[in-house]
Amino acid sequence: MTSSFILTNRLQYAYAKSKEHRALDNINLEIKPDEFLLVCGASGSGKSTLCRTFNGLIPHFYEGKLQGQVFVAGESTTGQSVAGLSAQVGMVFQNAEAQLFNRTVELEIAFSLESLGIPRAQIKKRIAETVEMMGIEEFLPRNPHELSTGEQQLVSIVAILATNPQIIVLDEPYANLDHVNVRRVRAALNMIHKRQKGIVICEHRLPQTVNDVQRMVGLQRGHIVLNGTPDKVLQRDIEQFDLETPLSARIGRQLRLPNLPLDVPTLKKDAPAISYPTDLKPNLLQSVPSGSSLILEVENVSFKLDNTKILRDISFALRVGECLAVVGANGAGKTTLLKHLNGLLRPSNGQIRVMGQDTSKSKVSDLARYVGIAFQNPDNQFFKLTVWDEIRIGAKVLGRYDESWLQELVELFGLKPLLNRSPYQLSGGEKKRVAFAGALACKPKILALDEPTAGQDLNFRRVLGEVLAHLRKMGQAVFLVTHDLSFAEQQAHRWLLLSKGQIIADGSPWEVMADANTMTQANLEPTDAFLLYGGENRGQVTEDR
Amino acid sequence: MLDPRTKLLLSIYYAVLIIASGHFGWLAMEWGLLLLFVMIIGEGKTYLRWLRMLFPMALFFGAVMWWSVGREAAIVASLKLLALTSAFFAFFITTAPEDLGNSMVKIGMPYAVAFVMSTAMQFVPVISRKAKNVLDAQRARGIPLEPGWSSLRHYPAFLGPLLIQAFQLAEELAEAMEARGFGRPNRTFLKVYLLRRGDWLAIGAGLLILITSLILQRWY
């Protein structure tokens, strides 16, 4: 036991509300004090639950039945309190809103130190040291809730780091971050790891993490199904566990490279081929169906809020059957633009016409017939007792109730087994599916989805991709707002690249990504698929070697 | 800078003075002084915004008083209400909630109470943002939640999701607090709160002014 800092021994756990279902089953795991570990698995596989046993939240904060033991630094967690364990195992939660509760960043960082009863002079010193190390000095006097999502994630990490725990556990730290912010947080974690700290990350999006970690543990239905170094584990077929192998590793596997490349630069260095296996090249959509009629026209739209211009001079159009993706970094103005489609926001300048109707002169409830929007957080809309009522309500209120269409939607989104359950008891992915079906219930001309894939696993992305393909075939126009470029690459005919409230590029996904300057300006990075296959567009297409 | 407790005490003195004042002229002067203070510390704009919210309430209150007891009493009562709330506005604008809470801990208030006080303030904007999001999501589905009586029947669509999310937030907050050592004994504090000579002087001088003003008001 000397070499491991956290050790679980035949760990089993079942939440109080579902006693017969074991969230964790027979988990034997050792984590070294300076290890960088990835705990991965699809939604509901038990990774968050496992992490909550490391700092005693399970069994002390959550009721339920725990069997087996968890040892931290040689002592069982059952005999210790969560507050006591916090000095050894720090935890960063997914929701920054809830874990930042002080008025300034300085007080936020001080909070845990104050809890530990550290003398005042030392608190000051620790804050200064940690903040300097992470380079966020300028945040100290600011209110955490006014920071951007990426900055909040950094502050959450610093607040934990300051107490100097041996291991920091992070629950899906990248779920709501765009590329640039993911990069910042990754750099911070790598630096912390270099200082002999242990880091445990819970994630299901592998491409962002496998390159950093020393070992990965995969969970499925509460069991450990994968355990080993990334280059070993990724040799296996992990799609069966709803995990996504990074494209570079898939190509490396097919090319039988001796060392599995975990990211694109490594692959390009190890195998500088002009062309990579074509069967792994993603299928992109053919160009926009031209000639079909316009359903949305946006002309020179600007939007001001408290004298700040959030949108500047935006013009574009959407046609029947087209899938348009508005891509951009966190805070680029994507959601603000989305809210203009149905009149929730009205342009300060310019005009928006939906089916020829000026949105400035129409009521939201009128426009709702034409534009069905599903916002990022489905919890914002659930108030009915069953899923079936929740899907129907919009169509009922708008007087567009069509039973057979609703049945079709239920079928399409695979909601049949859930119809009589309460929407609040569903998993995150199931909730999203209900919200999407609800948005389509009144047969809108445009379906608008706000960050549909944020925090969702491979299985969800696959299902949503199939649904969108089906809708496209039916001629449904889709307006997608996202920073998930690999999803948008496969699902959209056309991209609008939004940066600081302006459209700085408009074209097919690969046309947009081909301009490295505008991508940098928008704080986005091209997808792996584009980096590996995008160059072929302009050059000759060579056969698989 | 004065200790938060001193500021609280001074505000209470001022409130006593306002409550004890029964004459239009005195009240106007007391309110005027507050106005001057708010201007000096550079919070005039915030005050104006806040006043705009309060004014209809004071007006309504005054109207009721007028109808029940008469004009003079109504004006005095409305002025009292405005001055009194302004006194506490001046206090809260100059005192951070956690400073008030933590300094009270020093004189025996349980830390948990102080924590709830300061944290509640921090979550007001979070909850109002959530409320806005719920409104947007429901209106986007065609549920008419525009301000007005006709939307009253749809209020469950607004309150339901908001309440449930507030509970979720509370749950997550509790978890995050626990994981950061909340409730461990022997807590220390980053900021120190001491009643210095200046504080005692202010407390003494304030009391003196209060008593003198009260006596003066009896005479004139």
Side-chain angles (χ1 to χ4, degrees), chain A residues 508-528:
Chain A
S508 76
W510 282 11
E511 276 166 19
V512 171
M513 283 192 277
D515 189 342
N517 285 336
T518 47
M519 287 295 281
T520 316
Q521 195 189 333
N523 272 337
L524 293 177
E525 288 167 21
T527 59
D528 285 0

Side-chain angles (χ1 to χ4, degrees), chain A residues 52 103 108 118 120 380, chain B residues 98 165 175 180 188 190:
Chain A
R52 279 166 172 73
R103 195 178 49 84
E108 195 66 63
I118 291 169
R120 196 174 150 258
N380 281 336
Chain B
E98 79 276 358
Q165 284 193 74
E175 190 182 14
R180 283 169 68 187
T188 48
L190 173 63

Side-chain angles (χ1 to χ4, degrees), chain A residues 333-522:
Chain A
K334 302 188 295 286
T335 303
T336 307
L337 178 58
L338 178 74
K339 286 184 183 171
H340 275 81
L341 299 192
N342 64 353
L344 282 174
L345 295 175
R346 306 262 152 96
S348 316
N349 283 99
Q351 201 185 44
I352 299 173
R353 288 188 300 275
V354 176
M355 302 297 291
Q357 197 172 325
D358 185 350
T359 61
S360 302
K361 295 180 186 124
S362 323
K363 280 203 288 191
V364 177
S365 44
D366 284 338
L367 292 165
R369 276 162 228 229
Y370 302 125
V371 188
I373 299 186
F375 286 103
Q376 192 176 345
N377 182 3
D379 285 344
N380 281 336
Q381 59 181 64
F382 293 158
F383 71 108
K384 291 286 176 187
L385 294 177
T386 65
V387 167
W388 176 233
D389 284 341
E390 194 62 51
I391 296 171
R392 294 189 300 172
I393 178 76
K396 265 188 180 169
V397 181
L398 293 171
R400 317 242 307 185
Y401 194 81
D402 177 350
E403 180 90 17
S404 66
W405 168 242
L406 291 171
Q407 293 294 352
E408 214 177 314
L409 284 176
V410 166
E411 199 66 41
L412 182 62
F413 284 93
L415 296 173
K416 205 150 223 169
L418 307 177
L419 286 182
N420 290 320
R421 289 179 55 191
S422 155
Y424 275 105
Q425 289 170 349
L426 307 180
S427 75
E430 289 167 342
K431 282 180 182 174
K432 288 220 168 204
R433 270 153 45 199
V434 173
F436 297 165
L440 278 166
C442 66
K443 282 194 183 170
K445 300 284 179 197
I446 304 169
L447 171 67
L449 304 177
D450 189 9
E451 300 286 3
T453 59
Q456 302 305 313
D457 63 8
L458 181 65
N459 185 40
F460 177 87
R461 289 151 58 92
R462 223 185 259 149
V463 170
L464 181 60
E466 282 161 17
V467 169
L468 288 178
H470 184 88
L471 291 172
R472 273 195 305 271
K473 254 184 226 150
M474 292 166 51
Q476 176 73 49
V478 179
F479 188 86
L480 208 58
V481 162
T482 186
H483 62 249
D484 181 350
L485 297 193
S486 61
F487 187 77
E489 174 183 47
Q490 290 175 36
Q491 297 303 330
H493 296 101
R494 189 156 65 98
W495 279 12
L496 297 178
L497 184 56
L498 200 64
S499 165
K500 299 190 183 94
Q502 259 178 316
I503 294 180
I504 57 171
D506 178 346
S508 76
W510 282 11
E511 276 166 19
V512 171
M513 283 192 277
D515 189 342
N517 285 336
T518 47
M519 287 295 281
T520 316
Q521 195 189 333

